[in-house]
Amino acid sequence: MMFTKSYARILFKLALTLIVLITPSLINDSNNYMNDDSYFYSRISELKSDYDDLSYSGRDFTYSMGQISMFLFFKKFLPEKFIINIIPVIFGLISLLLFHLILKELYVEPNVNYLSLIILILSPPFIYIFTSYNIFTPTTLILLLIFYLFIQRDQMLNFVSYILFFIIPFFGYQYAILALSLLLIYCMKEKMIKKFYIIFIITLISLSIVYLPYLSKYGLSEPAGFDRVLNHKLLFSDLGSSFGISIFIVFLSVFGLRYLWKSKYKYLPVYISLILSMLSIYYYPKFIIYLNFILSFLAALGIIYLLRSKWESETIRKLTMWLLIIGVVFSTITFVNEISKQDPNKNLYDALIYLRNYDNSKDVVFYHYSYGILINTIANKKNVMDNNFLYAPDLNERHQNSQALFYTRNFNTASDIIDNYNIKYILITKKMKDGLIWNEKDEGLLFLLNSANIYKKIYNNDEVEIWRIKE
């Protein structure tokens, strides 16, 4: 009987994961990739030199090599579409198994373990990571594998985790710092601080190998001052974030914390890990993806709390529990629908293909920087800037000048900026007009485009217009 129950649970989790991760691709109204990371890895894997002539109108190859190397490895024997659409689903299933095994090793009771996995599967960050190949797809799998191997009592498995720790900085220094911080908490709890020193030294050596050449050649990377403002809309999928957490999972997590607090400081490592993960998103908002793993566990405890606790009104208790559970499911359905519509949608894709075929040059296009990677890959044109900020040339100056061009109604100011970056085309989208940049139809650059005769509209559809700057 227990075998049958366990087998049914495994099949249910497998089926649910496949449905949730594959559905966005099935309902996507175009045949395009569903995020700009996929386009970035597709283009960058074709580069034959250590210079990228399209990003920032030309920059040295200073991208994190881990994700690119893994993409190139798969590309040797698999079609690109399989890597971008199917490999993430496989990685998602393996990551789910690893998370289950980690919870089991940490002596989490089976029901909580099971509910944690179900909530994780339904969570928007999990769907974001494993629907289409992006910067977090291989990194998340490796981080979970490291943690699982590290907490084993087998020295051979520990040794493999050390090797993987050496690799992590190649995916990005921020992942190495996060992994070290979380494992320091574990080592302190288990009184294995000497074991932590090993991975600390290994990581330090690896970080030196990866980043000392950059430091000696470029110095410190210029921080993106404009990207440091933490927008609450980035944190919650229910408010439109493409990778944020569900508000309903947060509410369930509050009940989970209340459940843990019965034992006061017994679960201090959980509280510290939670605080640490929350602090990390201030510096790197997308790390809310990793906070989501902790919240999935806490949300599962929240459901247990609501099932077992006694309230003055049983009706209110049950109503609260079911509203939150239904809310989680509704968030999942909404997010699956939204992620299937991520840029490039058909209108944007068609516009970029038109621009690619308009001439054979690699002239510079101006737009909001979130479209930069798509400009490079689909239109095969140079951009002013994109969201690959690490060691980007004149990062903050480019952003300041972009903002000035967006909002100026002065022809001479606009011309100076256009000439400075040798801009030949301007791309305007409906999203840019609807709040991403402007809120008024004749605001800033929009006014100039329609009043100065040096700008000629060469393309227009329901969502995108392209202007060419006359010689």
Side-chain angles (χ1 to χ4, degrees):
M1 183 68 181
M2 286 301 294
F3 172 78
T4 304
K5 185 178 180 181
S6 299
Y7 188 66
R9 282 187 168 189
I10 292 169
L11 286 178
F12 176 71
K13 286 183 287 189
L14 176 63
L16 183 62
T17 305
L18 291 174
I19 291 169
V20 166
L21 296 184
I22 293 175
T23 298
S25 296
L26 295 177
I27 64 175
N28 186 9
D29 62 357
S30 69
N31 198 31
N32 308 327
Y33 301 148
M34 288 184 293
N35 65 65
D36 57 4
D37 276 357
S38 296
Y39 282 98
F40 171 73
Y41 292 119
S42 173
R43 180 180 73 86
I44 219 71
S45 64
E46 300 293 334
L47 282 187
K48 305 300 182 184
S49 70
D50 58 357
Y51 186 78
D52 184 350
D53 65 336
L54 297 183
S55 179
Y56 287 78
S57 300
R59 63 183 291 180
D60 289 337
F61 194 101
T62 54
Y63 307 116
S64 297
M65 281 303 301
Q67 295 91 339
I68 297 170
S69 298
M70 189 166 285
F71 191 90
L72 283 169
F73 169 75
F74 285 123
K75 203 169 180 180
K76 288 179 179 179
F77 53 90
L78 291 172
E80 185 175 278
K81 283 194 173 183
F82 188 93
I83 301 169
I84 288 173
N85 294 322
I86 305 301
I87 288 294
V89 177
I90 296 170
F91 277 21
L93 290 169
I94 298 171
S95 296
L96 201 66
L97 173 63
L98 288 169
F99 188 56
H100 161 73
L101 294 173
I102 289 168
L103 293 179
K104 190 175 180 181
E105 285 291 325
L106 296 176
Y107 303 107
V108 172
E109 71 170 89
N111 286 334
V112 176
N113 191 328
Y114 176 70
L115 287 173
S116 298
L117 296 178
I118 296 300
I119 293 170
L120 180 64
I121 294 166
L122 295 174
S123 66
F126 182 83
I127 300 169
Y128 170 80
I129 299 170
F130 298 115
T131 293
S132 185
Y133 195 95
N134 59 65
I135 192 171
F136 295 102
T137 305
T139 315
T140 302
L141 173 63
I142 292 173
L143 286 172
L144 287 168
L145 182 58
I146 285 173
F147 198 91
Y148 172 69
L149 296 173
F150 185 82
I151 64 178
Q152 300 303 306
R153 304 296 176 182
D154 186 302
Q155 288 188 345
M156 188 60 194
L157 294 179
N158 292 162
F159 179 74
V160 176
S161 75
Y162 301 154
I163 295 172
L164 292 174
F165 248 107
F166 183 83
I167 295 172
I168 278 294
F170 290 87
F171 289 81
Y173 68 89
Q174 59 269 46
Y175 304 103
I177 294 171
L178 179 67
L180 279 175
S181 302
L182 292 174
L183 285 177
L184 174 60
I185 297 168
Y186 174 80
C187 289
M188 291 176 69
K189 175 185 177 293
E190 299 294 326
K191 297 180 172 57
M192 298 188 306
I193 201 67
K194 289 183 179 179
K195 196 174 177 181
F196 173 78
Y197 291 150
I198 297 172
I199 58 170
F200 179 77
I201 293 169
I202 290 171
T203 306
L204 202 60
I205 293 169
S206 182
L207 284 168
S208 300
I209 292 170
V210 175
Y211 290 102
L212 276 181
Y214 293 144
L215 289 170
S216 62
K217 186 174 182 179
Y218 309 105
L220 292 172
S221 176
E222 182 181 0
F226 56 89
D227 199 49
R228 290 294 298 276
V229 179
L230 190 60
N231 188 335
H232 67 281
K233 289 184 179 180
L234 289 175
L235 303 181
F236 301 104
S237 62
D238 309 87
L239 299 180
S241 172
S242 61
F243 56 85
I245 53 178
S246 165
I247 291 175
F248 299 99
I249 290 178
V250 174
F251 286 143
L252 281 171
S253 299
V254 172
F255 287 109
L257 283 171
R258 188 170 179 179
Y259 181 82
L260 289 182
W261 192 245
K262 291 178 182 179
S263 303
K264 300 296 181 183
Y265 300 106
K266 178 181 177 182
Y267 297 102
L268 185 61
V270 177
Y271 309 143
I272 296 173
S273 298
L274 179 64
I275 293 168
L276 179 68
S277 299
M278 291 172 69
L279 288 173
S280 71
I281 65 175
Y282 174 79
Y283 296 97
Y284 194 50
K286 283 194 174 183
F287 267 10
I288 200 164
I289 282 168
Y290 298 120
L291 172 63
N292 181 62
F293 283 85
I294 299 174
L295 293 181
S296 296
F297 165 68
L298 290 173
L301 288 174
I303 293 175
I304 298 296
Y305 172 82
L306 289 170
L307 282 170
R308 296 177 181 176
S309 62
K310 293 183 179 180
W311 292 21
E312 289 185 8
S313 171
E314 280 295 296
T315 302
I316 293 176
R317 179 185 67 81
K318 291 178 181 178
L319 184 63
T320 301
M321 181 181 69
W322 283 110
L323 280 175
L324 291 175
I325 292 173
I326 292 169
V328 170
V329 175
F330 180 76
S331 287
T332 304
I333 295 170
T334 303
F335 185 76
V336 165
N337 183 54
E338 288 300 315
I339 200 172
S340 71
K341 299 175 183 177
Q342 275 194 324
D343 286 332
N345 59 27
K346 187 178 186 303
N347 283 322
L348 179 57
Y349 185 83
D350 288 347
L352 293 175
I353 289 295
Y354 176 86
L355 185 57
R356 183 188 188 102
N357 296 329
Y358 186 78
D359 61 40
N360 294 322
S361 71
K362 293 184 178 180
D363 287 332
V364 181
V365 185
F366 181 69
Y367 47 85
H368 185 269
Y369 70 84
S370 62
Y371 298 111
I373 290 171
L374 302 178
I375 294 289
N376 290 161
T377 307
I378 302 174
N380 195 36
K381 294 286 190 285
K382 294 180 180 179
N383 65 37
V384 176
M385 63 182 297
D386 54 53
N387 53 18
N388 282 313
F389 299 147
L390 188 66
Y391 286 109
D394 306 318
L395 176 61
N396 288 297
E397 180 183 332
R398 285 173 181 268
H399 183 263
Q400 289 165 9
N401 287 334
S402 295
Q403 294 298 102
L405 181 52
F406 281 134
Y407 295 111
T408 188
R409 298 182 76 174
N410 184 292
F411 176 79
N412 291 329
T413 300
S415 294
D416 287 344
I417 297 171
I418 286 169
D419 291 342
N420 185 42
Y421 293 107
N422 198 26
I423 296 167
K424 299 299 182 185
Y425 300 97
I426 297 173
L427 181 138
I428 308 293
T429 67
K430 187 176 183 296
K431 287 181 181 178
M432 292 168 66
K433 289 181 175 181
D434 290 347
L436 183 60
I437 300 293
W438 306 285
N439 293 303
E440 303 294 334
K441 64 180 181 179
D442 61 348
E443 191 176 353
L445 182 60
L446 294 178
F447 170 79
L448 289 178
L449 290 174
N450 290 287
S451 59
N453 60 10
I454 73 159
Y455 306 113
K456 179 185 178 182
K457 186 185 289 187
I458 62 170
Y459 183 86
N460 184 52
N461 65 30
D462 292 341
E463 294 186 28
V464 185
E465 55 192 66
I466 301 173
W467 297 75
R468 183 172 65 85
I469 296 153
K470 297 178 184 177
E471 297 295 336

